[in-house]
Short mmCIF file of all heavy atoms in Angstrom, two decimals:
data_model
loop_
_atom_site.label_atom_id
_atom_site.label_comp_id
_atom_site.label_asym_id
_atom_site.label_seq_id
_atom_site.Cartn_x
_atom_site.Cartn_y
_atom_site.Cartn_z
N ALA P 161 -0.96 -9.66 -26.11
CA ALA P 161 -0.92 -10.90 -25.42
C ALA P 161 -1.66 -10.79 -24.03
O ALA P 161 -2.33 -11.68 -23.62
CB ALA P 161 0.39 -11.53 -25.25
N PHE P 162 -1.41 -9.72 -23.40
CA PHE P 162 -1.98 -9.50 -22.10
C PHE P 162 -3.54 -9.35 -22.20
O PHE P 162 -4.31 -9.90 -21.48
CB PHE P 162 -1.40 -8.21 -21.47
CG PHE P 162 -1.36 -8.30 -19.99
CD1 PHE P 162 -0.21 -8.42 -19.32
CD2 PHE P 162 -2.62 -8.16 -19.17
CE1 PHE P 162 -0.19 -8.49 -17.85
CE2 PHE P 162 -2.56 -8.12 -17.88
CZ PHE P 162 -1.31 -8.18 -17.20
N GLU P 163 -3.99 -8.58 -23.25
CA GLU P 163 -5.49 -8.47 -23.40
C GLU P 163 -6.03 -9.77 -23.64
O GLU P 163 -7.19 -10.05 -23.22
CB GLU P 163 -5.67 -7.41 -24.56
CG GLU P 163 -5.37 -6.10 -24.17
CD GLU P 163 -5.64 -5.04 -25.42
OE1 GLU P 163 -5.61 -5.48 -26.61
OE2 GLU P 163 -5.90 -3.92 -25.06
N ALA P 164 -5.42 -10.67 -24.42
CA ALA P 164 -5.93 -12.00 -24.77
C ALA P 164 -6.01 -12.77 -23.45
O ALA P 164 -6.98 -13.49 -23.13
CB ALA P 164 -4.98 -12.71 -25.72
N GLU P 165 -5.13 -12.60 -22.48
CA GLU P 165 -5.13 -13.49 -21.29
C GLU P 165 -6.26 -12.88 -20.34
O GLU P 165 -6.90 -13.68 -19.56
CB GLU P 165 -3.81 -13.28 -20.40
CG GLU P 165 -2.63 -13.94 -21.08
CD GLU P 165 -2.78 -15.49 -21.14
OE1 GLU P 165 -3.44 -16.08 -20.19
OE2 GLU P 165 -2.41 -16.13 -22.08
N ILE P 166 -6.54 -11.55 -20.38
CA ILE P 166 -7.67 -11.06 -19.65
C ILE P 166 -8.93 -11.67 -20.20
O ILE P 166 -9.83 -12.10 -19.44
CB ILE P 166 -7.74 -9.46 -19.74
CG1 ILE P 166 -6.47 -8.90 -19.07
CG2 ILE P 166 -8.97 -8.95 -19.04
CD1 ILE P 166 -6.31 -7.46 -19.25
N TYR P 167 -9.01 -11.72 -21.52
CA TYR P 167 -10.19 -12.28 -22.13
C TYR P 167 -10.43 -13.73 -21.84
O TYR P 167 -11.53 -14.24 -21.54
CB TYR P 167 -10.10 -11.90 -23.63
CG TYR P 167 -11.24 -12.60 -24.44
CD1 TYR P 167 -12.53 -12.16 -24.22
CD2 TYR P 167 -11.03 -13.60 -25.34
CE1 TYR P 167 -13.64 -12.73 -24.94
CE2 TYR P 167 -12.14 -14.21 -25.99
CZ TYR P 167 -13.32 -13.76 -25.84
OH TYR P 167 -14.44 -14.30 -26.57
N LYS P 168 -9.27 -14.39 -21.75
CA LYS P 168 -9.38 -15.88 -21.40
C LYS P 168 -9.95 -16.16 -19.97
O LYS P 168 -10.65 -17.08 -19.79
CB LYS P 168 -8.01 -16.53 -21.58
CG LYS P 168 -7.57 -16.67 -23.06
CD LYS P 168 -6.08 -17.27 -23.03
CE LYS P 168 -5.54 -17.32 -24.46
NZ LYS P 168 -4.18 -17.80 -24.43
N ALA P 169 -9.44 -15.23 -19.12
CA ALA P 169 -9.99 -15.39 -17.77
C ALA P 169 -11.44 -15.19 -17.73
O ALA P 169 -12.21 -15.89 -17.03
CB ALA P 169 -9.24 -14.36 -16.82
N LEU P 170 -11.93 -14.16 -18.52
CA LEU P 170 -13.43 -13.85 -18.56
C LEU P 170 -14.13 -15.11 -19.17
O LEU P 170 -15.11 -15.49 -18.57
CB LEU P 170 -13.60 -12.65 -19.44
CG LEU P 170 -15.15 -12.33 -19.65
CD1 LEU P 170 -15.74 -11.83 -18.46
CD2 LEU P 170 -15.14 -11.22 -20.81
N CYS P 171 -13.62 -15.74 -20.16
CA CYS P 171 -14.29 -16.89 -20.79
C CYS P 171 -14.23 -18.10 -19.88
O CYS P 171 -15.33 -18.86 -19.86
CB CYS P 171 -13.43 -17.30 -22.06
SG CYS P 171 -13.51 -15.96 -23.44
N ILE P 172 -13.28 -18.32 -19.06
CA ILE P 172 -13.33 -19.37 -18.11
C ILE P 172 -14.47 -19.26 -17.16
O ILE P 172 -15.21 -20.13 -16.81
CB ILE P 172 -11.95 -19.52 -17.41
CG1 ILE P 172 -10.87 -19.98 -18.40
CG2 ILE P 172 -12.06 -20.62 -16.22
CD1 ILE P 172 -9.44 -19.90 -17.81
N ILE P 173 -14.58 -18.05 -16.62
CA ILE P 173 -15.61 -17.70 -15.64
C ILE P 173 -17.02 -17.72 -16.31
O ILE P 173 -17.83 -18.42 -15.65
CB ILE P 173 -15.32 -16.27 -15.08
CG1 ILE P 173 -14.06 -16.06 -14.35
CG2 ILE P 173 -16.51 -15.71 -14.32
CD1 ILE P 173 -13.61 -14.69 -13.95
N ALA P 174 -17.12 -17.40 -17.59
CA ALA P 174 -18.41 -17.56 -18.26
C ALA P 174 -18.81 -19.05 -18.40
O ALA P 174 -19.97 -19.36 -18.15
CB ALA P 174 -18.27 -16.83 -19.59
N LYS P 175 -17.90 -19.82 -18.81
CA LYS P 175 -18.03 -21.22 -19.05
C LYS P 175 -18.47 -22.00 -17.72
O LYS P 175 -19.06 -23.03 -17.63
CB LYS P 175 -16.99 -21.90 -19.75
CG LYS P 175 -16.87 -21.42 -21.18
CD LYS P 175 -15.96 -22.31 -22.03
CE LYS P 175 -14.52 -21.91 -21.90
NZ LYS P 175 -13.60 -22.56 -22.69
N LYS P 176 -17.92 -21.40 -16.56
CA LYS P 176 -18.34 -22.08 -15.25
C LYS P 176 -19.70 -21.64 -14.75
O LYS P 176 -20.14 -22.03 -13.74
CB LYS P 176 -17.27 -21.60 -14.18
CG LYS P 176 -15.96 -22.41 -14.48
CD LYS P 176 -15.02 -22.13 -13.35
CE LYS P 176 -13.65 -22.98 -13.42
NZ LYS P 176 -12.82 -22.94 -12.25
N GLY P 177 -20.39 -20.71 -15.53
CA GLY P 177 -21.70 -20.43 -15.25
C GLY P 177 -21.77 -19.20 -14.17
O GLY P 177 -22.81 -19.03 -13.56
N LEU P 178 -20.64 -18.63 -14.06
CA LEU P 178 -20.49 -17.46 -13.00
C LEU P 178 -20.86 -16.15 -13.65
O LEU P 178 -20.88 -15.04 -12.90
CB LEU P 178 -19.19 -17.47 -12.28
CG LEU P 178 -18.93 -18.64 -11.40
CD1 LEU P 178 -17.58 -18.51 -10.79
CD2 LEU P 178 -19.95 -18.70 -10.30
N LEU P 179 -21.05 -16.08 -14.96
CA LEU P 179 -21.24 -14.76 -15.57
C LEU P 179 -22.60 -14.65 -16.08
O LEU P 179 -23.06 -15.54 -16.79
CB LEU P 179 -20.35 -14.60 -16.74
CG LEU P 179 -20.16 -13.16 -17.34
CD1 LEU P 179 -19.61 -12.18 -16.35
CD2 LEU P 179 -19.27 -13.18 -18.55
N LYS P 180 -23.35 -13.63 -15.77
CA LYS P 180 -24.69 -13.43 -16.15
C LYS P 180 -24.95 -12.05 -16.59
O LYS P 180 -24.38 -11.02 -15.93
CB LYS P 180 -25.67 -13.81 -15.00
CG LYS P 180 -25.74 -15.34 -14.72
CD LYS P 180 -26.58 -16.07 -15.77
CE LYS P 180 -26.68 -17.57 -15.46
NZ LYS P 180 -25.37 -18.32 -15.46
N GLU P 181 -25.77 -11.81 -17.64
CA GLU P 181 -26.25 -10.50 -17.99
C GLU P 181 -27.67 -10.42 -17.49
O GLU P 181 -28.51 -11.15 -17.64
CB GLU P 181 -26.28 -10.32 -19.55
CG GLU P 181 -26.63 -8.96 -19.97
CD GLU P 181 -26.81 -8.78 -21.42
OE1 GLU P 181 -27.10 -9.77 -22.19
OE2 GLU P 181 -26.63 -7.60 -21.99
N ARG P 182 -27.94 -9.19 -16.79
CA ARG P 182 -29.20 -8.94 -16.32
C ARG P 182 -29.38 -7.52 -16.12
O ARG P 182 -28.42 -6.77 -15.93
CB ARG P 182 -29.46 -9.80 -15.00
CG ARG P 182 -28.68 -9.42 -13.87
CD ARG P 182 -29.00 -10.37 -12.71
NE ARG P 182 -28.21 -9.81 -11.52
CZ ARG P 182 -27.67 -10.68 -10.63
NH1 ARG P 182 -27.74 -12.07 -10.87
NH2 ARG P 182 -26.97 -10.21 -9.63
#
Side-chain angles (χ1 to χ4, degrees):
F162 208 107
E163 290 181 332
E165 290 296 327
I166 296 169
Y167 175 65
K168 288 177 186 177
L170 177 69
C171 293
I172 294 170
I173 292 170
K175 285 192 281 187
K176 289 190 175 188
L178 291 177
L179 190 65
K180 288 286 184 288
E181 184 186 29
R182 64 183 183 216

